[in-house]
Amino acid sequence: MRALYRLVPVASFAFALPACGGDGDDAAPTVDAMQAIPCTPVAGATFEPAGTDGTKVNVHAAFANGAAWLTYNQVEPGGSNLDVAMVRVGCDGATLSQDLVTARTGNNDTAAPLATSGERVLVAWAADTGATPDNLDMFSRAYALDGTPIGSDDAQLVTTLDGSPASGNDWMPGVAADSDDDGFVVVGTRARDDIERFATFVQRTDGDGAPVGATLDPSVVAMFNHNFPVAAATTAGTLVAYILTPDVEADTLVWTMLGAGSDTLAPSPPAASTMSEPGCRKR
């Protein structure tokens, strides 16, 4: 019988791997089946990464190659800025590998979502470089499924606007597997001088995180900021959702899709989610 596991980050940096009863074969369980399975935390799976002290926050998780991949922010030694770190953990709670994803001096790094696609895992994050006024940059780092980092360093994600490299502030990253190939779809928000607001962008990358094709813009609307974009892989393509925040009135959750085999987003402009109701706020 094949054991199933559901990854559950909990308070502080601790996490638990609840053991979820086997399904009797190697077929992938459905979402409904997973939700119906009772789970009990595995004894000893709550832990602190070895050799680390101090604050650890902003945990993100993914599952790849029989291991839980956890990214988190930790305080730089002797400083106050945050770095991005990663630990791979087996289903029994044993640490398989650890890595300091980025330690660029002077950068204060944000939470680092991650996703798996093909033979790669991609970690993406934003950093406050302190180089005002364009002090927010996005970076990524790719890993092989055994935890080996690809390349010698992280790489800055440079988007395009009207066919040229875009400059300015980029942050609030999200990442998902690309349904087209073994690459990824990275989302975020970037400062747009033409509307004096932040707008969501969508960028395909290869398995190592290098941009592929032009950057896509779901919508650019004056007097609206875009916040907290997320991406999720589906059989139909990549779902992109974000909060549309007007200067007045309430926020709206909107969504669009980057379809499999498509280079355009639809619907365009994005559709309001049925979860959005008058007076609903993101907090």
Side-chain angles (χ1 to χ4, degrees):
M1 177 176 288
R2 182 170 64 96
L4 304 177
Y5 293 88
R6 186 180 302 149
L7 186 65
V8 182
V10 293
S12 184
F13 180 72
F15 83 101
L17 283 171
C20 309
D23 62 357
D25 56 36
D26 287 333
T30 65
V31 172
D32 290 342
M34 283 296 291
Q35 290 175 341
I37 296 171
C39 295
T40 304
V42 175
T46 299
F47 78 109
E48 284 279 327
T52 62
D53 295 307
T55 299
K56 286 173 283 295
V57 294
N58 302 328
V59 181
H60 283 262
F63 196 81
N65 198 32
W69 293 61
L70 305 176
T71 61
Y72 57 97
N73 293 122
Q74 66 182 25
V75 178
E76 291 180 350
S80 59
N81 286 344
L82 296 176
D83 288 333
V84 176
M86 180 273 290
V87 60
R88 287 192 315 128
V89 184
C91 288
D92 58 358
T95 299
L96 302 178
S97 65
Q98 290 180 235
D99 188 44
L100 187 61
V101 179
T102 181
R104 290 180 180 241
T105 302
N107 280 11
N108 194 19
D109 300 305
T110 67
L114 69 164
T116 178
S117 181
E119 298 296 315
R120 293 287 187 266
V121 173
L122 188 69
V123 183
W125 68 95
D128 184 345
T129 65
T132 55
D134 297 332
N135 56 299
L136 297 174
D137 292 328
M138 280 180 55
F139 296 87
S140 67
R141 188 78 189 271
Y143 289 84
L145 294 182
D146 64 358
T148 302
I150 305 300
S152 59
D153 204 352
D154 51 40
Q156 183 178 348
L157 177 68
V158 179
T159 60
T160 61
L161 182 62
D162 298 328
S164 299
S167 61
N169 289 308
D170 308 282
W171 72 328
M172 295 188 181
V175 60
D178 188 352
S179 60
D180 272 3
D181 50 33
D182 291 338
F184 296 90
V185 175
V186 177
V187 300
T189 65
R190 58 182 178 177
R192 293 287 298 260
D193 292 338
D194 51 348
I195 61 171
E196 298 183 339
R197 300 290 187 277
F198 277 85
T200 297
F201 68 84
V202 180
Q203 177 67 61
R204 276 194 165 110
T205 77
D206 64 17
D208 295 342
V212 174
T215 305
L216 304 177
D217 297 284
S219 69
V220 179
V221 184
M223 308 298 287
F224 282 80
N225 269 310
H226 296 183
N227 289 301
F228 310 114
V230 294
T234 76
T235 55
T238 304
L239 173 70
V240 177
Y242 56 92
I243 301 293
L244 194 60
T245 304
D247 290 353
V248 295
E249 302 176 350
D251 300 343
T252 303
L253 175 64
V254 298
W255 66 273
T256 188
M257 291 281 296
L258 178 58
S262 174
D263 291 325
T264 59
L265 296 163
S268 181
S273 167
T274 56
M275 295 175 61
S276 299
E277 298 179 358
C280 179
R281 304 296 296 183
K282 61 179 175 288
R283 290 179 292 275

mmCIF file of all heavy atoms in Angstrom, residues 32-66:
data_model
loop_
_atom_site.group_PDB
_atom_site.id
_atom_site.type_symbol
_atom_site.label_atom_id
_atom_site.label_comp_id
_atom_site.label_asym_id
_atom_site.label_seq_id
_atom_site.Cartn_x
_atom_site.Cartn_y
_atom_site.Cartn_z
ATOM 1 N N ASP A 32 -10.500 15.463 -4.080
ATOM 2 C CA ASP A 32 -11.569 15.052 -3.157
ATOM 3 C C ASP A 32 -11.117 13.898 -2.281
ATOM 4 O O ASP A 32 -11.412 13.853 -1.079
ATOM 5 C CB ASP A 32 -12.822 14.653 -3.945
ATOM 6 C CG ASP A 32 -13.510 15.846 -4.594
ATOM 7 O OD1 ASP A 32 -13.221 16.983 -4.161
ATOM 8 O OD2 ASP A 32 -14.310 15.638 -5.511
ATOM 9 N N ALA A 33 -10.378 12.956 -2.885
ATOM 10 C CA ALA A 33 -9.904 11.819 -2.105
ATOM 11 C C ALA A 33 -8.922 12.261 -1.036
ATOM 12 O O ALA A 33 -8.971 11.787 0.105
ATOM 13 C CB ALA A 33 -9.267 10.783 -3.027
ATOM 14 N N MET A 34 -8.016 13.172 -1.395
ATOM 15 C CA MET A 34 -7.049 13.663 -0.415
ATOM 16 C C MET A 34 -7.737 14.383 0.727
ATOM 17 O O MET A 34 -7.376 14.239 1.893
ATOM 18 C CB MET A 34 -6.049 14.599 -1.096
ATOM 19 C CG MET A 34 -4.981 13.892 -1.909
ATOM 20 S SD MET A 34 -3.892 12.867 -0.900
ATOM 21 C CE MET A 34 -3.009 14.135 0.008
ATOM 22 N N GLN A 35 -8.758 15.196 0.402
ATOM 23 C CA GLN A 35 -9.446 15.940 1.445
ATOM 24 C C GLN A 35 -10.214 15.015 2.386
ATOM 25 O O GLN A 35 -10.448 15.351 3.545
ATOM 26 C CB GLN A 35 -10.394 16.959 0.806
ATOM 27 C CG GLN A 35 -9.668 18.099 0.109
ATOM 28 C CD GLN A 35 -10.602 19.038 -0.610
ATOM 29 O OE1 GLN A 35 -11.747 18.693 -0.913
ATOM 30 N NE2 GLN A 35 -10.128 20.239 -0.892
ATOM 31 N N ALA A 36 -10.603 13.844 1.875
ATOM 32 C CA ALA A 36 -11.396 12.917 2.686
ATOM 33 C C ALA A 36 -10.531 12.031 3.569
ATOM 34 O O ALA A 36 -11.041 11.362 4.464
ATOM 35 C CB ALA A 36 -12.254 12.049 1.769
ATOM 36 N N ILE A 37 -9.193 12.023 3.349
ATOM 37 C CA ILE A 37 -8.318 11.127 4.102
ATOM 38 C C ILE A 37 -7.977 11.736 5.455
ATOM 39 O O ILE A 37 -7.473 12.856 5.531
ATOM 40 C CB ILE A 37 -7.015 10.871 3.318
ATOM 41 C CG1 ILE A 37 -7.322 10.141 2.011
ATOM 42 C CG2 ILE A 37 -6.037 10.069 4.155
ATOM 43 C CD1 ILE A 37 -6.133 10.046 1.081
ATOM 44 N N PRO A 38 -8.238 11.028 6.558
ATOM 45 C CA PRO A 38 -7.847 11.546 7.870
ATOM 46 C C PRO A 38 -6.335 11.515 8.023
ATOM 47 O O PRO A 38 -5.670 10.580 7.585
ATOM 48 C CB PRO A 38 -8.524 10.577 8.836
ATOM 49 C CG PRO A 38 -8.653 9.308 8.050
ATOM 50 C CD PRO A 38 -8.893 9.721 6.628
ATOM 51 N N CYS A 39 -5.783 12.549 8.616
ATOM 52 C CA CYS A 39 -4.329 12.657 8.737
ATOM 53 C C CYS A 39 -3.916 12.829 10.188
ATOM 54 O O CYS A 39 -4.560 13.544 10.946
ATOM 55 C CB CYS A 39 -3.812 13.853 7.929
ATOM 56 S SG CYS A 39 -4.059 13.668 6.159
ATOM 57 N N THR A 40 -2.815 12.185 10.537
ATOM 58 C CA THR A 40 -2.246 12.300 11.875
ATOM 59 C C THR A 40 -0.784 12.673 11.735
ATOM 60 O O THR A 40 -0.055 12.038 10.962
ATOM 61 C CB THR A 40 -2.358 10.970 12.632
ATOM 62 O OG1 THR A 40 -3.728 10.575 12.664
ATOM 63 C CG2 THR A 40 -1.825 11.111 14.050
ATOM 64 N N PRO A 41 -0.281 13.712 12.463
ATOM 65 C CA PRO A 41 1.120 14.106 12.329
ATOM 66 C C PRO A 41 2.076 12.955 12.625
ATOM 67 O O PRO A 41 1.862 12.166 13.533
ATOM 68 C CB PRO A 41 1.266 15.216 13.380
ATOM 69 C CG PRO A 41 -0.114 15.767 13.514
ATOM 70 C CD PRO A 41 -1.034 14.587 13.353
ATOM 71 N N VAL A 42 3.127 12.837 11.804
ATOM 72 C CA VAL A 42 4.146 11.820 12.015
ATOM 73 C C VAL A 42 5.004 12.231 13.200
ATOM 74 O O VAL A 42 5.474 13.365 13.285
ATOM 75 C CB VAL A 42 5.031 11.688 10.753
ATOM 76 C CG1 VAL A 42 6.171 10.725 11.006
ATOM 77 C CG2 VAL A 42 4.184 11.228 9.574
ATOM 78 N N ALA A 43 5.233 11.303 14.120
ATOM 79 C CA ALA A 43 6.039 11.589 15.302
ATOM 80 C C ALA A 43 7.448 11.997 14.885
ATOM 81 O O ALA A 43 8.061 11.367 14.026
ATOM 82 C CB ALA A 43 6.090 10.363 16.202
ATOM 83 N N GLY A 44 7.951 13.085 15.461
ATOM 84 C CA GLY A 44 9.318 13.511 15.205
ATOM 85 C C GLY A 44 9.499 14.339 13.952
ATOM 86 O O GLY A 44 10.623 14.683 13.608
ATOM 87 N N ALA A 45 8.424 14.676 13.232
ATOM 88 C CA ALA A 45 8.572 15.428 11.996
ATOM 89 C C ALA A 45 8.611 16.931 12.209
ATOM 90 O O ALA A 45 8.806 17.682 11.281
ATOM 91 C CB ALA A 45 7.434 15.098 11.035
ATOM 92 N N THR A 46 8.412 17.389 13.449
ATOM 93 C CA THR A 46 8.524 18.806 13.772
ATOM 94 C C THR A 46 9.969 19.077 14.178
ATOM 95 O O THR A 46 10.517 18.383 15.021
ATOM 96 C CB THR A 46 7.568 19.183 14.905
ATOM 97 O OG1 THR A 46 6.237 18.931 14.484
ATOM 98 C CG2 THR A 46 7.715 20.639 15.272
ATOM 99 N N PHE A 47 10.594 20.088 13.553
ATOM 100 C CA PHE A 47 12.029 20.232 13.752
ATOM 101 C C PHE A 47 12.494 21.654 13.470
ATOM 102 O O PHE A 47 11.749 22.474 12.960
ATOM 103 C CB PHE A 47 12.783 19.270 12.822
ATOM 104 C CG PHE A 47 12.851 19.761 11.400
ATOM 105 C CD1 PHE A 47 14.044 20.199 10.856
ATOM 106 C CD2 PHE A 47 11.708 19.813 10.626
ATOM 107 C CE1 PHE A 47 14.095 20.685 9.553
ATOM 108 C CE2 PHE A 47 11.747 20.288 9.331
ATOM 109 C CZ PHE A 47 12.946 20.718 8.790
ATOM 110 N N GLU A 48 13.731 21.921 13.832
ATOM 111 C CA GLU A 48 14.447 23.129 13.451
ATOM 112 C C GLU A 48 15.555 22.711 12.494
ATOM 113 O O GLU A 48 16.218 21.698 12.723
ATOM 114 C CB GLU A 48 15.064 23.806 14.678
ATOM 115 C CG GLU A 48 14.082 24.565 15.550
ATOM 116 C CD GLU A 48 13.772 25.942 15.000
ATOM 117 O OE1 GLU A 48 14.665 26.562 14.396
ATOM 118 O OE2 GLU A 48 12.636 26.388 15.164
ATOM 119 N N PRO A 49 15.792 23.447 11.393
ATOM 120 C CA PRO A 49 16.903 23.104 10.500
ATOM 121 C C PRO A 49 18.216 23.091 11.266
ATOM 122 O O PRO A 49 18.464 23.941 12.123
ATOM 123 C CB PRO A 49 16.883 24.226 9.459
ATOM 124 C CG PRO A 49 15.481 24.731 9.493
ATOM 125 C CD PRO A 49 15.034 24.603 10.917
ATOM 126 N N ALA A 50 19.064 22.111 10.989
ATOM 127 C CA ALA A 50 20.314 21.944 11.714
ATOM 128 C C ALA A 50 21.215 23.165 11.540
ATOM 129 O O ALA A 50 21.295 23.747 10.455
ATOM 130 C CB ALA A 50 21.036 20.697 11.221
ATOM 131 N N GLY A 51 21.889 23.562 12.624
ATOM 132 C CA GLY A 51 22.881 24.621 12.546
ATOM 133 C C GLY A 51 22.329 26.007 12.341
ATOM 134 O O GLY A 51 23.061 26.895 11.903
ATOM 135 N N THR A 52 21.048 26.217 12.625
ATOM 136 C CA THR A 52 20.465 27.545 12.452
ATOM 137 C C THR A 52 19.959 28.065 13.786
ATOM 138 O O THR A 52 19.447 27.325 14.601
ATOM 139 C CB THR A 52 19.311 27.530 11.438
ATOM 140 O OG1 THR A 52 18.265 26.684 11.930
ATOM 141 C CG2 THR A 52 19.783 27.010 10.097
ATOM 142 N N ASP A 53 20.108 29.363 13.974
ATOM 143 C CA ASP A 53 19.613 30.024 15.180
ATOM 144 C C ASP A 53 18.864 31.284 14.755
ATOM 145 O O ASP A 53 19.050 31.806 13.669
ATOM 146 C CB ASP A 53 20.771 30.413 16.114
ATOM 147 C CG ASP A 53 21.494 29.196 16.659
ATOM 148 O OD1 ASP A 53 20.817 28.319 17.212
ATOM 149 O OD2 ASP A 53 22.727 29.139 16.504
ATOM 150 N N GLY A 54 18.051 31.795 15.670
ATOM 151 C CA GLY A 54 17.406 33.069 15.414
ATOM 152 C C GLY A 54 16.120 32.942 14.629
ATOM 153 O O GLY A 54 15.564 31.858 14.432
ATOM 154 N N THR A 55 15.659 34.090 14.138
ATOM 155 C CA THR A 55 14.359 34.188 13.485
ATOM 156 C C THR A 55 14.337 33.448 12.159
ATOM 157 O O THR A 55 15.243 33.570 11.335
ATOM 158 C CB THR A 55 14.017 35.667 13.245
ATOM 159 O OG1 THR A 55 13.963 36.341 14.503
ATOM 160 C CG2 THR A 55 12.675 35.804 12.539
ATOM 161 N N LYS A 56 13.253 32.681 11.960
ATOM 162 C CA LYS A 56 12.976 32.027 10.681
ATOM 163 C C LYS A 56 11.487 32.208 10.401
ATOM 164 O O LYS A 56 10.650 31.810 11.205
ATOM 165 C CB LYS A 56 13.358 30.555 10.725
ATOM 166 C CG LYS A 56 14.863 30.313 10.691
ATOM 167 C CD LYS A 56 15.212 28.874 10.911
ATOM 168 C CE LYS A 56 15.109 28.474 12.355
ATOM 169 N NZ LYS A 56 16.074 29.165 13.231
ATOM 170 N N VAL A 57 11.163 32.818 9.263
ATOM 171 C CA VAL A 57 9.774 33.175 8.966
ATOM 172 C C VAL A 57 9.457 32.872 7.499
ATOM 173 O O VAL A 57 10.338 32.533 6.721
ATOM 174 C CB VAL A 57 9.502 34.672 9.256
ATOM 175 C CG1 VAL A 57 9.621 34.982 10.733
ATOM 176 C CG2 VAL A 57 10.456 35.558 8.442
ATOM 177 N N ASN A 58 8.184 33.027 7.142
ATOM 178 C CA ASN A 58 7.721 32.990 5.752
ATOM 179 C C ASN A 58 8.002 31.652 5.068
ATOM 180 O O ASN A 58 8.674 31.575 4.041
ATOM 181 C CB ASN A 58 8.361 34.121 4.928
ATOM 182 C CG ASN A 58 8.071 35.498 5.480
ATOM 183 O OD1 ASN A 58 7.006 35.726 6.049
ATOM 184 N ND2 ASN A 58 9.008 36.415 5.337
ATOM 185 N N VAL A 59 7.460 30.581 5.632
ATOM 186 C CA VAL A 59 7.698 29.245 5.083
ATOM 187 C C VAL A 59 6.838 29.005 3.842
ATOM 188 O O VAL A 59 5.643 29.280 3.838
ATOM 189 C CB VAL A 59 7.378 28.166 6.132
ATOM 190 C CG1 VAL A 59 7.655 26.772 5.568
ATOM 191 C CG2 VAL A 59 8.176 28.382 7.398
ATOM 192 N N HIS A 60 7.470 28.492 2.779
ATOM 193 C CA HIS A 60 6.761 27.994 1.599
ATOM 194 C C HIS A 60 7.165 26.543 1.389
ATOM 195 O O HIS A 60 8.285 26.146 1.732
ATOM 196 C CB HIS A 60 7.093 28.823 0.362
ATOM 197 C CG HIS A 60 6.398 30.141 0.319
ATOM 198 N ND1 HIS A 60 5.239 30.364 -0.390
ATOM 199 C CD2 HIS A 60 6.684 31.321 0.925
ATOM 200 C CE1 HIS A 60 4.847 31.612 -0.236
ATOM 201 N NE2 HIS A 60 5.702 32.221 0.553
ATOM 202 N N ALA A 61 6.265 25.746 0.784
ATOM 203 C CA ALA A 61 6.522 24.321 0.677
ATOM 204 C C ALA A 61 6.118 23.786 -0.684
ATOM 205 O O ALA A 61 5.185 24.266 -1.322
ATOM 206 C CB ALA A 61 5.745 23.573 1.775
ATOM 207 N N ALA A 62 6.842 22.768 -1.139
ATOM 208 C CA ALA A 62 6.496 22.014 -2.337
ATOM 209 C C ALA A 62 6.965 20.589 -2.121
ATOM 210 O O ALA A 62 7.763 20.309 -1.210
ATOM 211 C CB ALA A 62 7.154 22.615 -3.579
ATOM 212 N N PHE A 63 6.467 19.665 -2.945
ATOM 213 C CA PHE A 63 6.848 18.263 -2.826
ATOM 214 C C PHE A 63 7.444 17.810 -4.145
ATOM 215 O O PHE A 63 6.846 17.992 -5.201
ATOM 216 C CB PHE A 63 5.620 17.408 -2.485
ATOM 217 C CG PHE A 63 5.967 16.036 -1.981
ATOM 218 C CD1 PHE A 63 6.321 15.846 -0.656
ATOM 219 C CD2 PHE A 63 5.952 14.936 -2.825
ATOM 220 C CE1 PHE A 63 6.651 14.589 -0.183
ATOM 221 C CE2 PHE A 63 6.278 13.671 -2.360
ATOM 222 C CZ PHE A 63 6.630 13.489 -1.035
ATOM 223 N N ALA A 64 8.655 17.251 -4.105
ATOM 224 C CA ALA A 64 9.326 16.823 -5.326
ATOM 225 C C ALA A 64 10.286 15.687 -5.018
ATOM 226 O O ALA A 64 11.024 15.730 -4.026
ATOM 227 C CB ALA A 64 10.095 17.991 -5.962
ATOM 228 N N ASN A 65 10.290 14.667 -5.866
ATOM 229 C CA ASN A 65 11.248 13.579 -5.786
ATOM 230 C C ASN A 65 11.246 12.914 -4.411
ATOM 231 O O ASN A 65 12.296 12.605 -3.848
ATOM 232 C CB ASN A 65 12.655 14.086 -6.125
ATOM 233 C CG ASN A 65 13.614 12.975 -6.479
ATOM 234 O OD1 ASN A 65 13.209 11.961 -7.036
ATOM 235 N ND2 ASN A 65 14.891 13.159 -6.160
ATOM 236 N N GLY A 66 10.059 12.709 -3.869
ATOM 237 C CA GLY A 66 9.936 12.014 -2.590
ATOM 238 C C GLY A 66 10.362 12.816 -1.388
ATOM 239 O O GLY A 66 10.654 12.240 -0.325
#
